[in-house]
Amino acid sequence: KQEVTQIPAALSVPEGENLVLNCSFTDSAIYNLQWFRQDPGKGLTSLLLIQSSQREQTSGRLNASLDKSSGRSTLYIAASQPGDSATYLCAVYSGGGADGLTFGKGTHLIIQP
Amino acid sequence: KAGVTQTPRYLIKTRGQQVTLSCSPISGHRSVSWYQQTPGQGLQFLFEYFSETQRNKGNFPGRFSGRQFSNSRSEMNVSTLELGDSALYLCASSATRGETQYFGPGTRLLVL
């Protein structure tokens, strides 16, 4: 059964810092991996999707990498801003299995002004 | 394009009742998935529908069921509600299976 772990569980940094969020998964037989952000009481906003054949994806100040063989992904946020404060969730899609998207518990990020 | 919409947004029910939640996917999307989010368990997959057929089902009791209509709109039903069913229920749509999933705002269900 696929399990997804996100480290750290919480992070508080001053504005302007570059930061890295980590995600690991136990079964490397994935179809793709998605990063989301969730604001309090809201639904999820898709940030990036990386297909299993890709190594990284970029969108603005966000860069996500994938090392499928080692079961790891990282989300890099450049020049952090207070508006980046949210919970960031990593999810893997194994395709054809019974799990749909399997989510980590998330990293709660606070950017101090 | 309009995003994923879910109705109702908030719901209060009592134990033993049943509830139906609705999800309208992004226009043109054919795959709809449902998730339950609780503080203790996080986000858990309920089921996935594609072309009116349930493709996958998560590890939830048979009280949780769903369906998808020919216009891709989906409903999920929970019968004989329990206190532990209190959660945020999220619906997500994608153009086809395995593509980016776009989530709705969720339905917050409180069971008293």
Side-chain angles (χ1 to χ4, degrees), chain A residues 1 31-32 34 36 38 40-49 51 87 89 93 95-105, chain B residues 9-10 33 35 37 39-45 48 55-59 88 90 97-106 108:
Chain A
K1 183 190 173 201
Y31 188 80
N32 61 44
Q34 244 181 298
F36 298 89
Q38 185 174 30
K42 302 289 181 63
L44 277 62
T45 301
S46 177
L47 297 173
L48 290 163
L49 178 143
Q51 300 290 356
T87 296
L89 294 151
Y93 182 75
D99 295 336
L101 278 174
T102 302
F103 283 86
K105 293 290 176 74
Chain B
R9 294 292 312 280
Y10 304 93
S33 299
Y35 298 85
Q37 186 175 32
Q41 299 297 318
L43 273 151
Q44 294 184 285
F45 170 71
E48 176 187 9
R55 301 293 175 159
N56 286 316
K57 189 176 194 299
N59 189 26
L88 180 66
L90 292 162
R97 302 183 71 205
E99 294 196 4
T100 300
Q101 293 196 22
Y102 297 91
F103 281 74
R108 188 165 296 280

Side-chain angles (χ1 to χ4, degrees), chain A residues 65-85:
Chain A
S65 67
L66 174 64
D67 184 343
K68 200 176 81 159
S69 61
S70 67
R72 293 179 184 177
S73 176
T74 60
L75 179 67
Y76 175 83
I77 303 176
S80 58
Q81 303 171 357
D84 294 331
S85 298

Side-chain angles (χ1 to χ4, degrees), chain A:
Chain A
K1 183 190 173 201
Q2 180 75 267
E3 292 183 4
V4 179
T5 303
Q6 291 188 247
I7 294 173
L11 185 62
S12 181
V13 301
E15 181 178 3
E17 283 202 5
N18 302 323
L19 50 97
V20 175
L21 308 182
N22 296 292
C23 169
S24 61
F25 46 94
T26 55
D27 185 349
S28 63
I30 64 168
Y31 188 80
N32 61 44
L33 182 146
Q34 244 181 298
W35 282 93
F36 298 89
R37 68 174 279 169
Q38 185 174 30
D39 294 283
K42 302 289 181 63
L44 277 62
T45 301
S46 177
L47 297 173
L48 290 163
L49 178 143
I50 310 177
Q51 300 290 356
S52 61
S53 58
Q54 297 176 317
R55 297 285 292 184
E56 65 179 284
Q57 281 284 355
T58 299
S59 176
R61 295 182 294 107
L62 305 179
N63 176 276
S65 67
L66 174 64
D67 184 343
K68 200 176 81 159
S69 61
S70 67
R72 293 179 184 177
S73 176
T74 60
L75 179 67
Y76 175 83
I77 303 176
S80 58
Q81 303 171 357
D84 294 331
S85 298
T87 296
Y88 288 79
L89 294 151
C90 165
V92 298
Y93 182 75
S94 299
D99 295 336
L101 278 174
T102 302
F103 283 86
K105 293 290 176 74
T107 293
H108 182 57
L109 176 64
I110 296 174
I111 308 298
Q112 306 155 12

Side-chain angles (χ1 to χ4, degrees), chain B residues 21-36:
Chain B
L21 311 182
S22 181
C23 171
S24 292
I26 292 172
S27 177
H29 284 192
R30 295 170 62 196
S31 177
V32 173
S33 299
W34 289 88
Y35 298 85
Q36 181 196 65

